[in-house]
Amino acid sequence: MAYFLKPQYHFSPMIGWLNDPNGLIEFKEQYHLFYQFNPNSPNWGKMHWGHAVSKDLFHWMHLPVALYPEKSLSEKDYSGIFSGSAIEKDEQLVLMYTQYFDPDIFNNRFKEEQCIAFSKDGVNFEKHKGNPVIAKPPNQLFHDYRDPKIFKVSSNEYYCVIGAGENGIGKVLLYTSKDLYNWHFENVLCEFNPDCFGPVIECPDFFQLNGKWVILFSAGFTEKGKRKNYYAIGDFIGNKFLPDCIESLDLANDLYATQTFQDKNNRRIAIGWLHTPDRNNYSVDEGWAGIMSIPKELSIKDNRLIQQPVKEFQKLIMEKTDNDKTLSSDRTLDISSLQNLIYLSIQNLSEGFQIVFVNKKDELILDKSMDSFEITELRNGTIEFKDAYKLENTLDKLDVYMDKTSIEIFFNNGEKVASFRTYPRDNYKKLIVNPFPKKSFSIFQVQPAFNCLL
Ligand code: FRU
């Protein structure tokens, strides 16, 4: 099997299906990435926790599955290990996750329990014998009660936020604990308008950043059927989160379930799942699906979240293409040697411009007009995907990261981001930039990092 669509500097599963990032942590000088994983098929199914480690957030080494689901009671039993998070305690790596019981098989119990597992070496994990540590939600009306995100407040005080729905409203629940075994429900931390965010909140993450409190959350059951990742910035007063603003984390619709962690250098790093929710996912034919976003460092400026690829990315940039030599007479750039591993940076942008990636059969068009930015993917001249975003501020800088089947566009140094998947059938050969901003235009090949051993 040839893996033409596999990313080379984004994390993806060796085989099978990947969704949410789980348990992100720096433990014993390694970054750990766990993830929702179905090793048995390129489709969602019985969930395991896949596991990988890295020293630089790009060169990942696959490790054995960290958490296996219990044995199935029937072929249709989708009970498994749902999303969660990690924390270090007494030199152990502790995972907190949701044990999901398929309601079609287990119809007389709560379908979700919160559990923990331990590891001394960060490779082999043992589920706690006294699981679950939280057996059920605070009352019977809560449903879709999952995705615990833990954080430490002081040496013996832990908080945990859990996503849920109640009475048609998506809510985030707040728990506290002194030892990770005994948890106390404090209150509903916050809830979100169901007309915009639907009746369930998934994968909440709650942290302090630059003196404010930030919540990231995913809304998966909105009326329009879109699954989208959001953030809110605000204050945390009397165990309640009071948002000043709620914004999309990403302009496009392919990013979901972003989780963050703080590394030993006090950086708040975010990784999300990049999928293809509403169109054909061609990588299924290669036996795999789902990739992680580029790891991004978060900060706050003017009460808005700024996202920028972590600085380790700089080490992957290979020699700059000499634009003067590769620019042909029709002002197109020959990019055939870049193999769709591309970092493109443009400054001093004119009000309107177009960037077109071309191979024999496909085109990817990024089109900026007055205040909107349009993305079109063409397969044999037919529109495969089209999306448009309104830009509030003048666009001064554009950074584009392409890795085989993903494009992440950072506007004005991460003021806004649009991340999406595309499935070109060949490497792009030509790049047309119109008008061509000669002075402030750089294009680089990105060095492959995928699956390297440490
Ligand atoms: C989000 C999600 C989580 C759940 C997991 C199951 O994508 O639905 O709420 O824990 O995926 O794979």
Side-chain angles (χ1 to χ4, degrees):
M1 163 74 70
Y3 291 115
F4 174 70
L5 300 173
K6 271 248 158 142
Q8 302 293 305
Y9 65 96
H10 287 66
F11 184 79
S12 69
M14 263 198 298
I15 46 141
W17 164 274
L18 164 153
N19 59 290
D20 317 351
N22 296 154
L24 298 177
I25 192 167
E26 185 178 358
F27 175 72
K28 296 194 174 156
E29 287 167 22
Q30 282 187 322
Y31 293 110
H32 288 251
L33 165 68
F34 300 85
Y35 56 96
Q36 289 288 282
F37 182 38
N38 180 11
N40 301 313
S41 115
N43 299 305
W44 190 88
K46 213 170 165 55
M47 281 297 121
H48 300 52
W49 271 35
H51 188 193
V53 284
S54 169
K55 285 208 186 288
D56 66 358
L57 296 161
F58 287 97
H59 296 80
W60 292 99
M61 182 170 77
H62 288 281
L63 290 181
V65 164
L67 297 174
Y68 281 91
E70 303 299 319
K71 212 164 169 250
S72 295
L73 293 185
S74 84
E75 238 181 59
K76 291 201 177 107
D77 179 1
Y78 288 109
S79 304
I81 315 281
F82 274 15
S83 285
S85 53
I87 204 160
E88 185 174 346
K89 183 175 186 276
D90 304 331
E91 290 184 30
Q92 295 206 79
L93 179 46
V94 184
L95 307 179
M96 187 162 182
Y97 60 92
T98 300
Q99 168 66 55
Y100 168 74
F101 295 96
D102 188 336
D104 290 339
I105 312 286
F106 300 90
N107 51 16
N108 53 359
R109 61 176 305 160
F110 283 110
K111 68 174 184 177
E112 286 141 337
E113 291 177 345
Q114 318 309 327
C115 299
I116 53 177
F118 302 93
S119 171
K120 284 201 167 68
D121 60 5
V123 178
N124 300 291
F125 288 83
E126 206 176 309
K127 291 179 187 160
H128 172 48
K129 301 243 165 14
N131 277 336
V133 288
I134 310 178
K136 50 186 171 191
N139 72 51
Q140 302 232 7
L141 295 176
F142 284 98
H143 53 89
D144 294 286
Y145 166 66
R146 53 179 178 258
D147 311 336
K149 176 75 201 299
I150 341 173
F151 59 100
K152 196 170 169 174
V153 194
S154 65
S155 60
N156 66 344
E157 208 181 355
Y158 299 91
Y159 279 27
C160 170
V161 289
I162 299 181
E166 188 202 18
N167 287 328
I169 304 176
K171 302 193 175 177
V172 178
L173 310 185
L174 179 70
Y175 286 77
T176 54
S177 171
K178 292 202 179 318
D179 55 12
L180 299 181
Y181 300 104
N182 299 291
W183 288 93
H184 174 246
F185 171 61
E186 295 290 340
N187 52 259
V188 170
L189 176 72
C190 54
E191 55 184 60
F192 296 98
N193 180 352
D195 295 340
C196 309
F197 305 105
V200 173
I201 296 299
E202 295 186 306
C203 302
D205 192 345
F206 188 45
F207 52 89
Q208 233 175 340
L209 187 65
N210 306 141
K212 295 290 282 184
W213 282 86
V214 180
I215 191 159
L216 303 189
F217 63 97
S218 292
F221 303 85
T222 58
E223 246 171 41
K224 287 183 205 141
K226 292 267 185 226
R227 311 186 87 207
K228 221 169 153 60
N229 220 170
Y230 295 91
Y231 76 85
I233 299 179
D235 296 302
F236 184 37
I237 299 170
N239 274 349
K240 287 273 181 191
F241 174 66
L242 310 169
D244 313 329
C245 70
I246 305 178
E247 297 275 333
S248 296
L249 188 60
D250 200 277
L251 295 169
N253 291 313
D254 294 0
L255 180 81
Y256 202 70
T258 296
Q259 187 176 96
T260 73
F261 70 106
Q262 192 166 29
D263 79 349
K264 301 269 154 77
N265 294 319
N266 287 331
R267 295 185 296 175
R268 179 58 61 175
I269 298 170
I271 298 180
W273 165 40
L274 281 181
H275 63 147
T276 323
D278 46 15
R279 46 197 203 281
N280 211 341
N281 180 352
Y282 296 94
S283 79
V284 167
D285 302 338
E286 293 185 357
W288 65 277
I291 72 168
M292 291 306 171
S293 71
I294 200 164
K296 292 170 274 192
E297 184 173 350
L298 304 183
S299 58
I300 295 179
K301 195 176 135 209
D302 302 332
N303 226 25
R304 289 286 180 278
L305 204 63
I306 305 293
Q307 309 177 60
Q308 288 190 292
V310 293
K311 64 174 184 340
E312 287 86 339
F313 174 78
Q314 299 299 326
K315 294 223 168 103
L316 298 182
I317 295 178
M318 288 167 64
E319 231 169 79
K320 196 169 158 183
T321 310
D322 184 341
N323 294 339
D324 285 337
K325 278 204 192 117
T326 46
L327 200 62
S328 66
S329 55
D330 58 353
R331 305 201 60 74
T332 63
L333 213 59
D334 177 358
I335 55 163
S336 41
S337 65
L338 302 187
Q339 303 195 47
N340 290 0
L341 303 175
I342 298 174
Y343 167 49
L344 182 88
S345 184
I346 315 179
Q347 292 185 43
N348 303 329
L349 294 158
S350 52
E351 206 154 82
F353 63 89
Q354 205 181 45
I355 302 175
V356 190
F357 295 87
V358 187
N359 69 31
K360 262 194 192 145
K361 297 174 181 161
D362 316 305
E363 271 183 37
L364 182 77
I365 307 163
L366 311 180
D367 205 337
K368 160 82 171 52
S369 62
M370 292 285 282
D371 60 351
S372 93
F373 194 91
E374 205 172 76
I375 295 166
T376 313
E377 185 188 4
L378 297 176
R379 277 170 97 84
N380 283 343
T382 308
I383 295 178
E384 174 79 6
F385 165 66
K386 195 178 182 79
D387 213 356
Y389 319 116
K390 235 182 155 42
L391 298 176
E392 288 154 19
N393 297 336
T394 315
L395 188 58
D396 297 321
K397 185 161 187 262
L398 194 73
D399 292 284
V400 180
Y401 300 79
M402 177 187 286
D403 184 3
K404 299 291 182 188
T405 58
S406 65
I407 317 272
E408 286 151 291
I409 305 176
F410 289 71
F411 300 92
N412 292 342
N413 289 318
E415 217 171 63
K416 294 269 178 210
V417 185
S419 313
F420 57 98
R421 306 287 305 277
T422 73
Y423 296 92
R425 282 158 295 173
D426 196 0
N427 292 324
Y428 291 116
K429 305 281 189 277
K430 272 196 320 188
L431 182 72
I432 307 163
V433 185
N434 198 5
F436 198 92
K438 233 182 144 197
K439 257 199 192 145
S440 43
F441 178 91
S442 328
I443 185 161
F444 303 89
Q445 183 170 27
V446 184
Q447 203 176 310
F450 178 62
N451 214 8
C452 300
L453 297 184
L454 293 174

